[in-house]
């Protein structure tokens, strides 16, 4: 180790002393900086922007590819888009808050006042912005618009089913009219003009201006409007047609709906249209009663959980008698007992108010005899103080309504399975999507001089050679097609598994056979697996207890049967996915006791399964399965030259619709430079749905029992820097940061918020120490795909890199498909080098990223994104299990929480010292 040298000793002495131990009875208080009590000043940083590309990569075998980008031609670069703000109000002046009505109102206004619109085509976003090519005649238009909408047949009746019935014949005739009129006031005001030239300047390599972003936004709005006129469901820039051929059943009343994504992008080859297949989840249209039976997986409405049903149905749209309504809730009483006040006029013109039930109303006044609604709540489409009820069996869910709840594991697996498309199939689907979109006939695009080619763009890729890997006995080899195995190979750094135990929560596992297989297979891989101290079976009577109780009782049994604390526990779970025992078990081991544990749920045990389990166990106990040969030499460009810390950063958020669940931020860091195959993690919670990591630098004021107050840094970065120093014997001179999960609109926040925190943490640790930084963002959620030219049915080969034609015209980015795509169409990872003080060439950067896809210790394949990011995601997901989020949900119903950061954040417990530096997440 470098720490044994004299140079290492000198550097050890230069490290500041560790922070003082915080007494158990002292609660740290977060400091508002700057503080007069301490000579520490918040550093001022210049505003950073993403760096420009320095050069292009040249390594690798060239390969002709097609991509799902379509070239855009601009024939009127001297023109302008004019931006107008739109304000819609009712006759009484109150603003229109109903969603979806805006397009109908503006369409009617254009029809009535075509001269005021100067017969121009427009693009309207459905809310507050309207764009034209060229100006309107006036800067301000105020236009009254009368819109006829289908009548809801409502009359005055409190709690009435669709309104109280009026029995007078003349009144009855009046309410037979199919339409009712409503007047809207439309105000269109000039806001700005956007030069087409700004788009051209940006795609020629100039700085992207706000005008460029606005120009592309206008073009994207044109695409949305094109889809809206065809009756599509719009989800940002993805469009879904109401075509049953595009639906696939996921179970539980949920359908997968296939559509397509369409957006404009600036590339080195000019402006292009990026089209891709897209999938969203929708509620299965049809009778509400049938949906509830499917959703709750019961066969009788009497078994429906109506509290859960109310949450599920809220805000969904239904159709009753050809009229459409939005569900606001359910009635408190069943249909046969739910009363409302019915106003009636007798023959003398007098009004009488009578109490009747919804059931009797339909039987006596509508002559509709309800068969399946009497015993169940009614659907409420009214307001809290003025409910409007409909019997369940009359309500039909309309099509194309998004399902925004979290999918179950089975639904998610079904969605992935049914969404897969081979490369050539996807090309055909996209070509058809382009055809039916009819962009060549879009009047707004035509009037602004924009045309789109129907041909897939040809690009040149390069296939990087796989890095050479090192395994046990000094053997080196090259993976083939992004894959390898450990047949006749040993782990490069195997561990000895001793002083360990087995616990079994499953009733169907052969423990003796499993242990024998582990010992036999471990010997072949170089791991010495001693016999376990003991195997413990769960008492069958405890299987109906809560998971924490089951875990606690198991530990009582285990500790009474062992003479010393085990170093490792193999835990056999009853379910393969989503076992409720997993979270409490992991927390008990990693937080309370500091014991490394591996959970399994074997269904079919063979050599491959046992090998995969051993890969995880070996990494968790401190071993390395395989590593890059250049780590051993060491000869990795840039990284091996000076002490280098590699960080992987990710933030995991709660499921859709769960804005009460804290987000979990994880940062993993490399250990033992010059290695880049071993990592540890630091994980914290933060406000829900907040993407920027808040705890990288976290100065707190600590007062000890003598009353002395001192500021210490309680943040993630200091923790990782100290550990790197302890494992490497050197302070890092270079820090490479891989950041996952941020969009292009958040790049400046990464550079000017998170990066500033990291620098502050370094300065706080040692103000005379200035490491150099490189920041790379990895994006998986994008819509660019690559296909082999010439109609080859296979995916692009692993190691395919593209840094030209469809990449950014100025910024430093590239696409890499490191993995072997065995099924479906491979999704490349889009890497953006935002900041680089280390001076990477394009070749060296692409080689580093490619190499980091081969050091993932859990598998024997190249993975689609660099290992540090995968590890950060795993660490966040595992430690999120430690918090009982169900309790938070009970206290803070998600229906009442809509904004990010609205919930008090529950802190994660810290890992016990004996496991905090381990790859527990592996």
């Amino acid at each position: 180790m470098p720490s044994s040298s004299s140079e290492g000793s000198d550097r050890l002495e230069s490290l500041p002393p560790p922070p003082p131990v915080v007494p158990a009875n002292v609660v740290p208080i977060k400091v508002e900086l700057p503080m007069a009590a301490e000579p520490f000043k918040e550093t001022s940083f210049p505003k950073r922007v993403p760096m420009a590309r320095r050069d292009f990569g040249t390594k690798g075998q060239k390969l002709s590819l097609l991509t799902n980008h379509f070239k855009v031609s601009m024939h009127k670069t001297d023109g302008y888009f004019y931006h107008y703000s739109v304000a819609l109000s009712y006759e009484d002046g109150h603003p229109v808050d109903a969603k979806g009505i805006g397009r109908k109102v503006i369409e009617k206004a254009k029809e009535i006042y075509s001269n005021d619109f100067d017969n121009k085509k427009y693009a309207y976003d459905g809310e507050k912005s309207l764009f034209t090519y060229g100006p309107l005649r006036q800067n301000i238009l105020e236009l009254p618009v009368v819109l006829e909408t289908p009548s809801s047949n409502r009359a005055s009746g409190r709690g009435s089913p669709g309104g109280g019935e009026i029995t007078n014949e003349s009144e009855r005739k009046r309410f037979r009219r199919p339409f009712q009129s409503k007047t809207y006031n439309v105000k269109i005001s000039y806001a700005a003009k956007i030069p087409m030239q700004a788009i051209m300047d940006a795609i020629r390599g100039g700085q992207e201006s706000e005008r460029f972003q606005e120009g592309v936004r206008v073009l994207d709005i044109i695409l949305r409007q094109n889809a809206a006129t065809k009756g599509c469901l719009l989800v940002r820039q993805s469009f879904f047609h109401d075509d049953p051929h595009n639906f696939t059943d996921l179970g539980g009343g949920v359908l997968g709906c296939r559509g397509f994504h369409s957006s404009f992008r600036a590339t080195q080859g000019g402006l292009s249209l990026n089209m891709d297949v897209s999938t969203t989840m929708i509620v299965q249209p049809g009778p509400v009663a049938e949906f509830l039976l499917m959703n709750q997986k019961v066969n009788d409405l009497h078994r429906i959980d109506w509290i859960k049903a109310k949450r599920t149905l809220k805000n969904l749209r239904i159709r009753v008698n050809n009229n459409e309504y939005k569900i606001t809730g359910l009635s408190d009483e069943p249909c046969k007992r739910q009363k409302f006040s019915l106003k009636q006029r007798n023959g003398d013109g007098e009004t009488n108010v009578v109490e009747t039930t919804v059931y009797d109303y339909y039987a006596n006044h509508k002559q509709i005899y309800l068969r399946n609604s009497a015993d169940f709540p009614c659907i409420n489409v009214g307001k809290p103080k003025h409910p409007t009820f409909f019997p369940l069996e009359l309500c039909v869910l309309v099509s194309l309504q998004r399902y925004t709840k979290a999918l179950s594991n089975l639904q998610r697996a079904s969605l992935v399975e049914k969404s897969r498309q081979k490369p050539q199939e996807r090309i055909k689907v996209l070509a058809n999507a382009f055809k039916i979109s009819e962009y060549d006939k879009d009047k707004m695009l035509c009037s602004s001089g924009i045309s789109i080619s129907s041909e897939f763009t040809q690009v040149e890729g390069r296939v990087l050679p796989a890095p050479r890997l090192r395994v046990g006995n000094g053997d080196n080899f090259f993976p083939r097609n992004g894959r390898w195995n450990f047949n006749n190979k040993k782990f490069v750094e195997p561990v000895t598994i001793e002083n360990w135990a087995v616990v079994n929560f499953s009733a169907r596992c052969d423990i003796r056979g499993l242990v024998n297989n582990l010992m036999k297979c471990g010997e072949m891989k170089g791991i010495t697996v001693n016999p376990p101290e003991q195997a413990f079976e769960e008492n069958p009577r405890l299987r109906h207890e809560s998971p924490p109780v089951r875990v606690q009782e198991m530990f009582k049994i285990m500790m009474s049967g062992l003479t010393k604390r085990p170093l490792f526990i193999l835990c056999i779970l009853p379910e393969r996915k989503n076992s409720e025992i997993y979270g409490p078990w992991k927390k008990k081991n990693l937080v309370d006791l500091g014991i490394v544990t591996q959970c399994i749920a074997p269904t079919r045990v063979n050599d491959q399964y046992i090998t995969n389990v051993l890969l995880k166990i070996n990494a968790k106990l401190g071993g390395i399965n395989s590593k890059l040969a250049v780590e051993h030499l060491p000869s990795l460009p840039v990284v091996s030259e000076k002490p280098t810390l590699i960080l992987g950063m990710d933030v995991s958020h709660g499921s859709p619709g769960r804005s009460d669940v804290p987000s979990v931020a994880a940062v993993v860091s490399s250990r033992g430079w010059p290695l880049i195959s071993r990592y540890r993690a630091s994980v914290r919670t933060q406000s829900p749905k907040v993407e920027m990591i808040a705890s990288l630098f976290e100065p707190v004021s600590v007062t000890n029992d003598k009353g002395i107050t001192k500021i210490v840094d309680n943040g993630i970065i200091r923790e990782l820097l100290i550990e790197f120093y302890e494992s490497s014997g050197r302070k890092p001179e270079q820090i490479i940061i891989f950041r996952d999960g941020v969009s292009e609109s958040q790049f400046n926040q990464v550079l000017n918020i998170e990066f500033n925190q990291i620098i502050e943490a370094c300065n706080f640790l040692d103000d005379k120490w200035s490491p150099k930084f490189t920041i790379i963002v990895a994006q998986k959620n994008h819509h660019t795909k690559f296909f082999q030219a010439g109609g080859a049915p296979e995916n692009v080969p692993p190691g395919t890199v593209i840094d030209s034609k469809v990449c950014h015209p100025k910024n430093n980015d590239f696409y890499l498909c490191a993995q072997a795509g065995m099924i479906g169409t491979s999704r490349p990872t889009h890497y953006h080098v935002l900041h680089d003080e280390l001076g990477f060439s394009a070749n060296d950067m692409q080689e580093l990223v490619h190499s980091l896809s081969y050091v993932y210790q859990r598998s024997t394949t190249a993975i689609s994104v660099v290992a540090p990011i995968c590890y950060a995601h795993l660490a966040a997901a595992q430690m999120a299990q430690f918090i009982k989020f169900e309790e938070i949900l009970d206290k803070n119903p998600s229906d009442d929480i809509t904004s990010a950061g609205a919930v008090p954040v529950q802190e994660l417990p810290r890992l016990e010292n004996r496991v905090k530096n381990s790859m527990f997440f592996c």
Side-chain angles (χ1 to χ4, degrees), residues 188-348:
I188 299 175
S189 308
Y190 169 78
K193 66 178 181 177
I194 303 145
M196 300 287 282
Q197 189 63 43
I199 300 176
M200 290 300 298
D201 291 343
I203 61 180
R204 287 171 181 164
Q207 182 64 42
E208 287 188 11
S209 64
E210 290 185 13
R211 288 285 180 247
F212 164 78
Q213 298 291 351
E214 279 293 308
V216 172
R217 178 184 168 223
V218 176
L219 298 180
D220 284 344
I221 289 172
I222 295 174
L223 300 183
R224 285 174 58 84
Q225 181 167 277
N226 178 290
T229 58
K230 293 178 169 62
C232 291
L233 166 67
L234 311 182
V235 183
R236 293 179 291 278
Q237 287 301 128
S238 293
F239 315 130
F240 304 90
H241 290 270
D242 189 7
D243 182 355
H245 291 98
N246 295 332
F247 300 163
T248 179
D249 187 7
L250 304 181
V254 182
L255 302 179
C257 179
R258 191 176 72 185
F260 63 93
H261 167 92
S262 191
S263 65
F264 289 95
R265 294 189 64 84
T267 70
Q268 294 168 20
L271 194 66
S272 71
L273 176 71
N274 178 206
M275 288 191 71
D276 192 22
V277 175
S278 185
T279 304
T280 192
M281 284 71 68
I282 62 172
V283 172
Q284 182 160 322
V288 171
E290 291 182 11
F291 166 74
L292 290 176
L293 291 174
M294 291 184 290
N295 184 253
Q296 299 196 16
K297 296 179 176 62
V298 295
N299 55 13
D300 187 345
L301 286 172
H302 289 90
R303 298 175 62 190
I304 291 290
D305 179 344
W306 292 102
I307 295 176
K308 181 180 177 182
K310 181 179 179 180
R311 287 200 305 266
T312 303
L313 293 174
K314 188 172 183 181
N315 294 325
L316 292 179
R317 301 190 313 279
I318 57 171
R319 185 173 289 111
V320 183
N321 298 330
N322 294 321
N323 294 326
E324 197 171 299
Y325 307 92
K326 184 170 75 172
I327 298 175
T328 56
L330 300 176
S331 62
D332 295 329
E333 298 288 340
C335 184
K336 65 184 180 184
R337 292 204 302 267
Q338 182 62 54
K339 293 186 176 182
F340 70 96
S341 301
L342 176 65
K343 293 182 180 179
Q344 294 180 313
R345 290 180 183 172
N346 57 27
D348 299 330

Side-chain angles (χ1 to χ4, degrees), residues 443-458:
K443 295 180 179 179
M444 184 67 179
L445 288 175
C446 293
S447 67
S448 55
I450 291 174
S451 61
I452 306 171
S453 169
S454 61
E455 300 296 322
F456 286 72
T457 299
Q458 292 190 347

Side-chain angles (χ1 to χ4, degrees), residues 29 179 214 261 372 421 512 564 602 662 709 739 763:
I29 303 171
F179 292 96
E214 279 293 308
H261 167 92
N372 300 306
Q421 293 174 314
R512 183 186 298 272
K564 55 183 177 180
T709 299
R739 180 65 160 95
N763 291 343

